[in-house]
């Protein structure tokens, strides 16, 4: 986390410097300087080449950096950067110099703005799709109002108002960065306490007592550390001079100290260079190998120290400490005889009221999540029910197909539909096929039996039924279809 935070801090500090003083783009990480520190000359060291940029965390970071890069390529605008003070920047005087920028740079800035507007519109559309509003017309002009760093009324060209908006928005957003970090840390501490209390609820009385004793022991162990010097005081800087720079504390010189730790040689202490000065103090309190030491708290302590020094030394509130500001601060009583520094364990990050509200918020969140879980379970059950219905329909369809295939194999066709009008007798097709084998009563071989076969039947009526059965004929007349009795009584009748 510390590494990621340092990257963010370097980038944020650099952009703050450009937006307020507009002197340099990025700062370098403070590292030990390999040089003969006893022979340090007063000559200004050459500014080192700026490293590759890193993300500031702003959602318009890329747009901001591209605008900066192209403005710095214009000679006229670059000269104005070094001759404009902070008040003029705040009043928008620097933005007016955009009218004198070369045509090539202005054309490129127009293109950058059109690309940014297109990106924002894409984000708006994507958000709408996620929220399920595909069929709703989008008023892009109204939605673009939320992005204050550009003039949405003119999405085609980059004008003076665009530069003024960009400078103001980026400055405000970067200045609010520390405030947001404090809020995040406060939430972190409250959540940590909430989790601890919830864990205690799962323990029996004896285990809870042991856990509380262990917690108190860790707190006492963390608070048992060497005295922490007041950040930015003479004692604190002398300790850095002696332990980090390897110099005699009796030879401490503020101007020499400033030059030693102005790692990029731009004549200012930026936020990252200041924070590097507090490493020795923080090592007195925090050790990553100790159970009682929280490294998230260490970074919050570093931020508190840096903010305190900035408030004490940064007289023009440009978030940078110049050499003159630093030398003036070293002559103050606060520098020579500072008060003791209260660390985080002496200053709780939240109040009881804030903790109560946080707990209520967590309860509400849990209820919302439970309700969502119930809704999702209902949706799942409904989907499973629909799936069962689909499976049943699939089985029925498969059975119907198999039945049709069997009918095709047996070459059996269903009788056609017959429409009957009035008293007409429907004509029966394929009746013979519907009778069992040997029962075709209207077949030619059974319509007109020979006379010699009828005579025995007439002579021996008692054997008629038996002979009829042998010849495949119905044994009694009432088994024959209507009209067939007449055929057997008078076969020669027309």
């Amino acid at each position: 986390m510390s590494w990621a935070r340092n990257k963010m801090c370097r980038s944020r500090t650099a952009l703050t410097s450009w937006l307020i003083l507009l002197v340099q783009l990025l700062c370098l990480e403070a590292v030990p300087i390999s040089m003969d520190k006893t022979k340090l000359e007063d000559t200004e060291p050459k500014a080192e080449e700026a490293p590759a940029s890193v993300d500031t965390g702003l959602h318009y970071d890329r747009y901001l950096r591209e605008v900066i890069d192209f403005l710095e390529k214009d000679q006229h605008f670059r000269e104005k950067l070094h001759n404009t003070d902070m008040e003029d920047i705040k009043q928008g005087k620097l933005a007016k110099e955009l009218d004198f920028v070369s045509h090539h740079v202005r054309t490129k800035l127009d293109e950058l703005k059109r690309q940014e507007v297109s990106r924002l519109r894409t984000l708006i559309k994507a958000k709408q799709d996620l929220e399920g509003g595909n069929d709703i017309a989008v008023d892009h002009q109204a939605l673009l109002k939320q992005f204050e760093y550009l003039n949405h009324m003119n999405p085609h060209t980059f004008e003076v108002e665009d530069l003024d908006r960009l400078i103001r928005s980026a400055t405000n957003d970067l200045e609010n960065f520390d405030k947001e970090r404090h809020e995040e840390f406060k939430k972190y501490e409250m959540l940590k306490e909430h989790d601890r209390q919830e864990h205690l609820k799962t323990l029996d009385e004896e285990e809870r007592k042991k856990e509380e004793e262990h917690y108190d022991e860790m707190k006492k162990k963390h608070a048992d550390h060497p005295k922490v010097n007041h950040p930015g005081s003479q004692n604190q800087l002398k300790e850095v001079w002696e332990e980090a720079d390897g110099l005699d504390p009796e030879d401490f010189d503020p101007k020499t100290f400033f030059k030693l730790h102005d790692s990029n040689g731009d004549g200012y202490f930026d936020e990252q260079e200041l924070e590097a000065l507090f490493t020795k103090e923080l090592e007195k309190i925090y050790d990553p190998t100790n159970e009682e030491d929280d490294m998230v708290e260490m970074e919050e302590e570093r931020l508190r120290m840096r903010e305190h020094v900035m408030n004490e030394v940064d007289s023009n509130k440009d978030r940078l400490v110049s050499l003159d500001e630093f030398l003036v601060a070293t002559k103050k009583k606060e520098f020579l005889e500072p008060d003791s520094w209260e660390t985080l364990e002496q200053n709780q990050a939240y109040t009881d009221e804030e903790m109560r509200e946080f707990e209520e918020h967590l309860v509400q969140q849990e209820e919302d999540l439970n309700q969502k879980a119930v809704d999702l379970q209902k949706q799942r059950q409904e989907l499973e029910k629909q799936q069962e219905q689909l499976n049943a329909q699939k089985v029925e369809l498969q059975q119907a197909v198999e039945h049709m295939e069997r009918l095709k194999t047996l070459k059996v066709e269903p009788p056609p539909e017959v429409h009957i009008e009035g008293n007409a007798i429907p004509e029966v097709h394929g009746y013979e096929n519907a009778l069992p084998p040997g029962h075709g009563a209207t077949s030619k071989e059974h319509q007109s039996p020979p006379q010699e076969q009828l005579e025995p039947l007439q002579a021996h009526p008692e054997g008629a039924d038996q002979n009829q059965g042998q010849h495949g004929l119905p044994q009694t007349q009432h088994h024959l279809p209507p009209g067939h009795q007449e055929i057997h009584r008078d076969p020669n009748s027309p």
Side-chain angles (χ1 to χ4, degrees), residues 18 63-79 81 94-95 97-115 156-160 162-163 166:
W18 187 91
Y63 175 65
L64 174 63
R65 291 187 171 279
E66 289 177 340
V67 170
I68 292 174
D69 291 342
F70 276 96
L71 285 174
E72 289 189 336
K73 292 177 181 178
D74 184 84
Q75 182 177 358
H76 170 80
F77 196 87
R78 188 168 57 251
E79 291 175 354
L81 299 183
L94 180 66
E97 298 298 327
L98 184 67
D99 290 334
F100 304 99
V101 171
S102 66
H103 175 72
H104 169 71
V105 173
R106 288 296 296 270
T107 301
K108 187 61 181 177
L109 292 176
D110 293 344
E111 180 182 349
L112 290 176
K113 182 178 179 181
R114 288 192 292 269
Q115 292 175 354
H156 305 294
T157 57
F158 190 94
E159 304 295 341
V160 172
D162 290 293
L163 181 57
L166 186 60

Side-chain angles (χ1 to χ4, degrees), residues 15 20 63 75 140 156 211 225 228 243 271 273 279 291 307 312 325 329 350 352 354 433 471:
L15 279 180
I20 299 178
Y63 175 65
Q75 182 177 358
H140 286 93
H156 305 294
E211 187 69 22
H225 54 70
V228 178
E243 297 185 12
E271 293 176 349
E273 290 167 331
T279 301
E291 177 188 356
E307 285 182 328
E312 294 289 327
E325 289 174 326
Y350 53 87
D352 294 340
E354 288 174 331
N433 293 336
H471 291 280

Side-chain angles (χ1 to χ4, degrees), residues 117-181:
V117 171
S118 176
R119 183 184 74 87
L120 294 178
R121 286 175 173 168
T122 301
L123 290 176
I124 292 172
K125 182 63 169 61
K127 181 179 179 181
Q128 183 194 27
D129 292 343
L130 288 175
E131 294 175 351
N134 298 336
D135 299 330
I136 302 176
V138 180
D139 186 355
H140 286 93
Q141 288 296 100
L143 293 175
L144 285 172
K145 290 181 180 179
Q146 62 185 300
F147 304 107
E148 298 179 354
Y149 62 93
L150 51 75
N151 179 15
H152 65 279
M153 298 302 295
N154 175 18
H156 305 294
T157 57
F158 190 94
E159 304 295 341
V160 172
E161 183 180 356
D162 290 293
L163 181 57
D164 185 50
R165 281 171 174 261
L166 186 60
I167 292 174
R168 293 177 185 273
S169 296
T171 301
N172 292 334
D173 292 343
L174 292 172
E175 287 179 348
N176 290 331
F177 182 79
D178 288 344
K179 185 183 297 183
E180 293 174 358
R181 279 184 52 202

